[in-house]
Amino acid sequence: MHHCFDSSKRNVTFPSCIKRPAYGLVIYAAYLKMEHSDENIKFWMACETYKKIASQRSRISRAKKLYKIYIQPQSPREINIDSSTRETIIRNIQEPTETCFEEAQKIVYMHMERDSYPRFLKSEMYQKLLKTIQPDNS
């Protein structure tokens, strides 16, 4: 089974890590928590769950919750997005669709792919992990 930390590939791409959460996503999230920057991965995962909500009533409730936690200025886990994206979300959560957080999710994904994921690949945590999953060649 292929997963984020395939020992045959030293540097796994961010998309393959985040789309195959065997345990890659969990370890990456733990790294971000250590770095005090786990709001992005938490928001991204919350959006993935949000998109699957079928009930409009549940969607409205969850959209407001996501806004309060991640989007609202000064919120507990405020994500770094531009003001126009933030304002679009504010308008959209009045009648939320499954895509109302999509633009913010793309921005957060880009931040992780370009910023925190390359740091993760260089981290001691990732290097130790590679050593534990590589076959012993002695």
Side-chain angles (χ1 to χ4, degrees):
M1 180 175 148
H2 179 78
H3 52 75
C4 178
F5 301 102
D6 182 345
S7 61
S8 66
K9 290 181 170 182
R10 290 202 73 69
N11 285 337
V12 178
T13 66
F14 182 65
S16 69
C17 178
I18 205 161
K19 295 290 185 197
R20 291 190 179 102
Y23 59 75
L25 190 58
V26 173
I27 293 170
Y28 177 58
Y31 168 77
L32 291 176
K33 189 174 177 103
M34 275 179 21
E35 229 191 21
H36 304 288
S37 63
D38 62 340
E39 67 283 346
N40 286 338
I41 194 70
K42 286 186 173 185
F43 175 71
W44 188 88
M45 291 189 303
C47 287
E48 289 298 291
T49 302
Y50 171 82
K51 287 189 252 183
K52 297 173 185 151
I53 296 172
S55 150
Q56 181 65 9
R57 182 186 227 171
S58 298
R59 189 179 296 135
I60 291 168
S61 166
R62 182 62 59 91
K64 287 179 180 173
K65 189 174 181 181
L66 288 175
Y67 174 78
K68 283 181 183 163
I69 296 170
Y70 300 103
I71 308 296
Q72 184 176 314
Q74 313 302 311
S75 60
R77 294 194 184 120
E78 184 182 357
I79 56 169
N80 183 9
I81 56 172
D82 57 273
S83 59
S84 68
T85 302
R86 191 178 312 276
E87 285 163 24
T88 300
I89 290 170
I90 292 167
R91 280 193 308 274
N92 290 343
I93 63 169
Q94 304 313 310
E95 292 287 329
T97 64
E98 63 273 358
T99 61
C100 74
F101 294 100
E102 200 167 82
E103 191 56 34
Q105 190 182 18
K106 285 177 188 170
I107 292 167
V108 159
Y109 183 94
M110 185 189 68
H111 288 316
M112 291 188 294
E113 185 174 38
R114 293 182 183 170
D115 184 33
S116 59
Y117 192 69
R119 281 197 315 273
F120 170 63
L121 292 178
K122 293 175 187 159
S123 73
E124 193 178 325
M125 181 186 238
Y126 181 74
Q127 298 308 317
K128 282 182 178 174
L129 178 69
L130 279 180
K131 285 179 184 154
T132 63
I133 63 170
Q134 283 180 336
D136 190 4
N137 293 335
S138 51

